[in-house]
Amino acid sequence: MNTEVAQIALMYVMPLGIAFTTILLAVSADYRYQKISGIIFSLLIVAMDCMFFFTKNTFLTYTNDGALLLSFASMVFLSIVCVLRNEDKPTRAGFIFLAIFMFAGVLGISYWERPTLVIASPFSPSEIAAQNAQYQDYIQSFENGEAGKVRYQKTKGTTIDNLPSGMITGKPAGSDAAAKGRLQAYMKETDKVIDRINEIIQTIDDYDLISPNISDEERETRSRQALAISNNATAINRKALGLFHPHESSEVHVVLIQATECLRLAAYALYTYSTHENPDEQQAEYTKARTQVRQTQANVDRFRVGIMNLLTNHEPDPPQDQQN
């Protein structure tokens, strides 16, 4: 319930609140040019709000990220109105800096690894909406106690969890240059994720066993180190969840998510290991961490095989004389 309230506040209350504040500042201005300019910027904000609320996934994706982008853009116009209303130079300078920072936020959200501005994304609004729905289903699975086990159908009666290891294949929806370009762009992003996964695995491997006679101060230090590893693993899991991917790579993308989920569980088990004092409980958690690390590496290997199979499907067939 708290999550729903936060979404309502972010997606509805905050953008509308900024719009009403801009309108009030416009109508209460002292000079005519201030009123006119304020009204113009207010109309721009209201127009953006209407586009966001009533025409979903047109120029903004209908998500919390989209609402944040809308609010940042509205803050740019609000800051400009405040600059025009104030004659004090330090105050105007402050609002100018605020406008610059908010504009930087707009660019960051629009073109970051989870692009929110549709025109800045290689995917269509319907594709983005479908991927957002998959993302929400995955998050909802945690609330339902399913530990993120979302199944994506491949064919009738077959799920991604039932596929043999290393045998993920799929014919792309289109073999044109645009489809191949989207897949290659996706591969570049996943390379960053896999590099980060390997770095976290290395930090887990380098985490020395805790001595039974360790002092409380040393145990607290080791616990903080394990917590940092756990936080990094959670961050890469969220990053994998937020990656937009071509429709043809949905199956292999699930494997990448599974890899980051196993890594998250491994890092959390390591943190739990660092907090336990009972040797049996420590051994159980450490064994769990090592098992999840091996599962992470296996999923990464499956992902690499699957993504290379998809890339091969984009290659043109050899001439008939070469086949013979």
Side-chain angles (χ1 to χ4, degrees):
M1 186 64 181
N2 292 335
T3 303
E4 295 178 359
V5 173
Q7 289 178 345
I8 292 174
L10 183 60
M11 297 178 67
Y12 296 96
V13 177
M14 193 159 91
L16 290 177
I18 297 174
F20 283 125
T21 302
T22 308
I23 294 173
L24 290 175
L25 288 176
V27 299
S28 62
D30 297 328
Y31 301 101
R32 185 174 181 180
Y33 81 93
Q34 294 175 341
K35 292 180 182 291
I36 295 176
S37 59
I39 291 173
I40 292 174
F41 288 123
S42 300
L43 291 176
L44 290 175
I45 294 176
V46 172
M48 289 192 303
D49 291 345
C50 292
M51 289 284 288
F52 180 70
F53 296 137
F54 301 116
T55 55
K56 298 180 180 180
N57 296 316
T58 53
F59 76 111
L60 283 177
T61 55
Y62 197 71
T63 60
N64 290 346
D65 290 340
L68 193 61
L69 177 62
L70 180 64
S71 298
F72 279 12
S74 301
M75 284 296 295
V76 173
F77 293 135
L78 175 60
S79 301
I80 295 175
V81 172
C82 293
V83 170
L84 296 175
R85 274 183 53 89
N86 289 275
E87 298 181 356
D88 184 56
K89 290 184 179 180
T91 304
R92 298 182 70 176
F95 283 114
I96 290 174
F97 279 118
L98 179 61
I100 294 174
F101 292 146
M102 290 297 101
F103 184 71
V106 170
L107 295 179
I109 297 174
S110 299
Y111 295 94
W112 195 44
E113 295 164 0
R114 185 182 171 91
T116 302
L117 193 63
V118 172
I119 60 176
S121 172
F123 303 99
S124 67
S126 59
E127 290 175 330
I128 294 176
Q131 291 166 8
N132 285 331
Q134 290 181 353
Y135 174 76
Q136 295 301 326
D137 289 342
Y138 186 88
I139 296 300
Q140 187 66 34
S141 67
F142 285 96
E143 299 179 2
N144 295 336
E146 299 175 4
K149 295 179 181 178
V150 177
R151 294 174 179 266
Y152 294 83
Q153 292 295 329
K154 179 178 182 290
T155 56
K156 293 182 179 180
T158 305
T159 63
I160 189 69
D161 293 333
N162 297 330
L163 292 178
S165 176
M167 294 299 294
I168 303 171
T169 59
K171 188 66 179 175
S175 299
D176 54 1
K180 185 177 181 180
R182 287 196 297 266
L183 182 61
Q184 290 176 337
Y186 168 70
M187 291 175 61
K188 291 180 181 179
E189 297 301 324
T190 57
D191 286 342
K192 300 176 184 178
V193 173
I194 292 176
D195 289 342
R196 187 59 177 150
I197 289 175
N198 292 331
E199 291 176 3
I200 297 174
I201 289 177
Q202 186 61 46
T203 58
I204 294 176
D205 292 339
D206 294 340
Y207 192 88
D208 297 329
L209 294 175
I210 298 178
S211 173
N213 300 324
I214 191 173
S215 64
D216 292 340
E217 183 178 356
E218 292 176 342
R219 182 180 296 278
E220 184 178 353
T221 300
R222 299 297 303 280
S223 178
R224 286 198 299 267
Q225 294 173 349
L227 180 59
I229 297 174
S230 180
N231 291 337
N232 291 334
T234 301
I236 199 63
N237 178 238
R238 291 182 178 275
K239 181 176 181 179
L241 284 169
L243 280 181
F244 284 123
H245 54 278
H247 178 72
E248 66 196 77
S249 65
S250 295
E251 295 168 357
V252 292
H253 186 67
V254 174
V255 179
L256 180 64
I257 292 176
Q258 289 175 341
T260 59
E261 176 64 16
C262 291
L263 184 64
R264 186 187 69 84
L265 294 175
Y268 183 76
L270 185 69
Y271 170 66
T272 306
Y273 160 77
S274 68
T275 59
H276 281 312
E277 297 183 4
N278 184 288
D280 294 335
E281 294 178 347
Q282 281 186 327
Q283 182 62 37
E285 294 298 332
Y286 188 80
T287 301
K288 185 187 300 183
R290 300 308 312 171
T291 300
Q292 292 295 340
V293 165
R294 289 194 296 270
Q295 189 62 39
T296 299
Q297 293 170 330
N299 283 327
V300 168
D301 292 339
R302 291 178 61 201
F303 173 80
R304 290 185 184 277
V305 172
I307 204 69
M308 292 308 299
N309 287 338
L310 288 176
L311 188 61
T312 302
N313 288 338
H314 280 294
E315 298 297 332
D317 295 332
Q320 189 66 29
D321 55 349
Q322 294 184 9
Q323 292 181 356
N324 296 332

